């Protein structure tokens, strides 16, 4: 089967509920994406809320809190980054819990030395949680004998480092959040009582994870699967894909002008058939900088010819676009980006700049304006202001009264 690039893009977008009117509920989106990347920056809103907002007809962040903290259908763990993941996928994430720290890399050996040299700190944390949890990081004494050393700001943050290590190992979990700060507790108290925690064989973990990743991606190369969902945790993926192809669960496809093998999950074939028949409804929306569609920057450039990187940690004078930049998805193209921030005191969604990609349609201005208005409503902003550059073809649509 050969795919046109346009249809591959549309399949990827539709697989992630970014086409048409949007998905009806949070559960449907989460069942597809399997993870929402966490990020502490809130110049607009938390990234995981932006990811859901862009995909849903209506979205109330309280829905996610209910699933996380009341129903325990989700929990926080490391997927391709620190993320919100599905509790039903706990057996897949156990693969990392069982081996962490692996000790094969220099960093892994350093973590292992820190863990093994600080048994008193580990036991202190576990005892405090057992007696009084859930607790914030500040509730624990630094009883380390081996200090944590890094090339960054975490040097000497021994309690926080140990909490992270125990979290990776699955010994503790985030029980809830207060004001954005994590409250920790023993994992046994945070997981539903009926959850099956029996370890799975490695091949089964890789098979399930690869199928989840491929369904979410829509169409992907082996390297794209490696970078999605449980990033870099697919040992033996080549053999697993061969078995899935033989079983008819995965179908190889050829993308025009690309000699690399691509794959489509069998569950996405009806959707692909509709797309190639012309049954596809576009939508225009603004994506989080950490959106699942573009979290693999190399894939975003390969499939959409869209170069994207975050500039939060780039000195202001060296930024090309802005501190917090949201790509513009317009139909099956990424046509530009915006650099917004919310001034909550004034109730304003301010744009430091709006930028169009070369060849972006001039008539897209009205659709971009609607997408901006949707974001403003979500953030509670009462008006929109522009303080930076605006593409001339879009100016009249964006700044009209």
């Amino acid at each position: 089967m050969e795919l046109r690039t346009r249809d591959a893009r549309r399949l990827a977008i539709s697989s992630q509920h970014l086409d048409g009117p949007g998905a009806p509920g949070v559960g449907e989106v989460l069942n597809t994406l399997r993870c929402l990347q966490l990020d502490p920056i809130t110049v607009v809103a938390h990234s995981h809320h932006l990811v859901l907002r862009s995909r849903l007809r209506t979205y109330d962040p309280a829905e996610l809190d209910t699933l996380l903290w009341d129903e325990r259908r989700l929990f926080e763990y490391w997927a391709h980054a620190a993320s919100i993941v599905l509790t039903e996928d706990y057996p897949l994430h156990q693969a990392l819990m069982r081996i962490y720290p692996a000790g094969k890399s220099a960093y892994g050996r350093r973590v292992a030395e820190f863990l093994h040299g600080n048994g008193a700190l580990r036991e202190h944390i576990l005892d405090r949680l057992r007696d009084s949890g859930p607790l914030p990081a500040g509730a624990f004494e630094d009883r380390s004998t081996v200090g944590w050393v890094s090339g960054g700001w975490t040097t000497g943050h021994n309690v926080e480092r140990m909490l992270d290590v125990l979290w990776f190992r699955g010994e503790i979990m985030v029980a809830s959040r207060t004001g954005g700060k994590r409250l920790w507790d023993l994992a046994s108290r945070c997981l539903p009582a009926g959850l099956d925690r029996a370890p799975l064989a490695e091949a089964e973990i890789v098979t399930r994870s690869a199928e989840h990743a491929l369904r979410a991606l829509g169409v992907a190369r082996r390297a794209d699967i490696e970078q999605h969902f449980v990033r870099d945790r697919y040992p033996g993926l080549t053999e697993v894909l061969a078995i899935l192809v033989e079983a008819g669960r995965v179908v190889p496809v050829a993308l025009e002008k690309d000699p690399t093998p691509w794959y489509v999950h069998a569950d996405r074939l009806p959707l692909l058939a509709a797309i190639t028949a012309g049954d596809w409804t576009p939508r225009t929306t603004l994506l989080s900088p950490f959106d699942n569609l573009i979290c693999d920057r190399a894939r975003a450039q390969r499939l959409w010819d869209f170069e994207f990187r975050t500039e939060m940690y780039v000195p202001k004078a060296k930024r090309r676009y802005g501190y917090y930049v949201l790509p513009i998805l317009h139909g099956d193209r990424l046509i530009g980006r915006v650099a917004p921030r919310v001034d909550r005191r004034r109730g304003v969604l301010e744009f430091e700049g709006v930028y169009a990609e070369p060849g972006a349609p001039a008539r897209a201005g009205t659709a971009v304006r609607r997408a901006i208005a949707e974001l403003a409503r979500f953030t509670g902003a009462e008006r929109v202001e522009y303080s930076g550059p605006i593409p001339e073809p879009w100016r009249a649509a964006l700044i009209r009264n």
Side-chain angles (χ1 to χ4, degrees):
M1 181 187 301
E2 183 169 341
L3 282 186
R4 291 183 295 177
T5 300
R6 186 199 69 179
D7 292 337
R9 290 174 174 176
R10 291 181 175 183
L11 179 59
I13 290 164
S14 295
S15 295
Q16 298 221 350
H17 306 285
L18 284 165
D19 62 330
V26 173
E28 182 178 351
V29 173
L30 289 169
N31 283 339
T32 298
L33 300 184
R34 313 307 289 195
C35 62
L36 300 172
Q37 183 171 336
L38 293 165
D39 187 81
I41 295 173
T42 57
V43 293
V44 177
H46 282 297
S47 176
H48 53 284
H49 292 313
L50 292 176
V51 170
L52 292 173
R53 182 213 64 84
S54 65
R55 287 163 169 80
L56 294 165
R57 298 168 194 170
T58 59
Y59 172 57
D60 179 355
E63 295 180 63
L64 190 64
D65 287 339
T66 298
L67 293 172
L68 263 168
W69 314 126
D70 298 334
E71 299 180 10
R72 299 290 179 182
R73 291 169 60 187
L74 309 169
F75 68 100
E76 294 187 16
Y77 195 61
W78 194 268
H80 64 278
S83 303
I84 295 169
V85 298
L86 276 67
T87 304
E88 68 183 61
D89 285 340
Y90 180 84
L92 307 183
H93 298 293
Q94 263 189 313
L96 178 58
M97 296 174 188
R98 289 201 299 264
I99 66 170
Y100 191 86
K104 295 180 181 178
S105 65
Y107 178 80
R109 289 192 295 273
R110 189 149 51 93
V111 174
E113 290 168 4
F114 175 79
L115 174 64
H116 295 146
N118 287 308
L121 175 58
R122 174 181 176 274
E123 289 306 316
H124 165 65
I125 290 173
L126 296 177
D127 288 345
R128 286 280 286 134
L129 291 178
R130 193 174 295 111
D131 294 340
S132 306
L135 295 170
F140 306 102
E141 300 173 14
D142 184 354
R143 298 189 180 180
S144 60
T145 54
V146 177
W148 176 254
V149 179
S150 75
W153 63 270
T154 61
T155 292
H157 291 226
N158 303 318
V159 170
E160 291 84 352
R161 178 72 277 205
M162 182 60 76
L163 288 168
D164 282 341
V165 171
L166 298 179
W167 175 59
F168 269 98
R169 288 168 59 84
E171 296 184 57
I172 65 174
M173 285 186 171
V174 181
S176 63
R177 284 181 177 260
T178 301
K181 293 186 177 180
R182 296 178 291 186
L183 294 180
W184 298 96
D185 206 347
L186 300 177
S188 57
R189 292 178 182 159
C190 298
L191 293 169
L195 180 67
D196 184 2
R197 288 186 260 175
L200 296 175
E202 181 180 86
E204 179 65 18
I205 291 173
V206 175
T207 298
R208 291 192 196 181
S209 299
E211 290 196 75
H212 285 329
L214 190 51
R215 288 190 197 95
L217 290 166
V219 57
R221 307 169 309 143
R222 181 188 59 78
D224 300 330
I225 296 171
E226 289 271 13
Q227 291 300 300
H228 206 71
F229 185 35
V230 289
R231 181 173 290 173
D232 296 328
R233 305 209 297 268
Y234 295 92
L237 179 59
T238 299
E239 292 76 12
V240 165
L241 284 173
I243 292 169
L244 288 170
V245 168
E246 186 176 357
R249 296 293 295 155
V250 168
V251 177
V253 297
L255 197 62
E256 58 182 347
K257 301 178 182 178
D258 189 340
T260 309
W262 291 67
Y263 300 93
V264 173
H265 197 280
D267 292 352
R268 292 288 178 258
L269 292 179
L271 178 58
L272 177 58
I275 289 169
T276 56
D279 182 9
W280 194 76
T281 306
R283 184 152 54 100
T284 302
T285 192
L286 305 177
L287 302 177
S288 160
F290 307 105
D291 194 278
N292 298 55
L293 188 72
I294 57 164
C295 61
D296 181 348
R297 309 304 196 207
R299 182 173 185 266
Q301 185 157 12
R302 183 178 302 105
L303 198 52
W304 282 278
D305 193 24
F306 187 76
E307 182 181 352
F308 184 71
R309 70 167 182 156
T310 54
E311 296 183 310
M312 280 90 84
Y313 305 109
V314 175
K316 186 174 182 179
K318 295 184 178 181
R319 293 176 193 148
R320 292 182 62 189
Y321 301 109
Y323 178 78
Y324 198 75
V325 177
L326 279 60
I328 305 169
L329 178 66
H330 178 68
D332 56 25
R333 295 175 60 188
L334 292 165
I335 63 167
R337 60 202 88 199
V338 298
R341 67 172 58 244
V342 178
D343 186 332
R344 293 175 174 84
R345 181 181 58 82
R346 296 193 301 133
V348 172
L349 179 61
E350 179 184 351
F351 286 83
E352 299 174 0
V354 178
Y355 305 91
E357 289 290 287
R363 291 181 293 180
T366 300
V368 173
R369 177 189 171 90
R370 285 196 295 266
I372 287 172
E374 290 172 0
L375 180 62
R377 283 194 295 272
F378 178 71
T379 62
E382 297 174 358
R383 65 183 189 277
V384 174
E385 293 181 359
Y386 299 92
S387 60
I390 300 174
E392 197 56 40
W394 298 352
R395 177 175 292 276
L398 293 184
I399 65 174
R400 74 183 187 192
N401 294 324

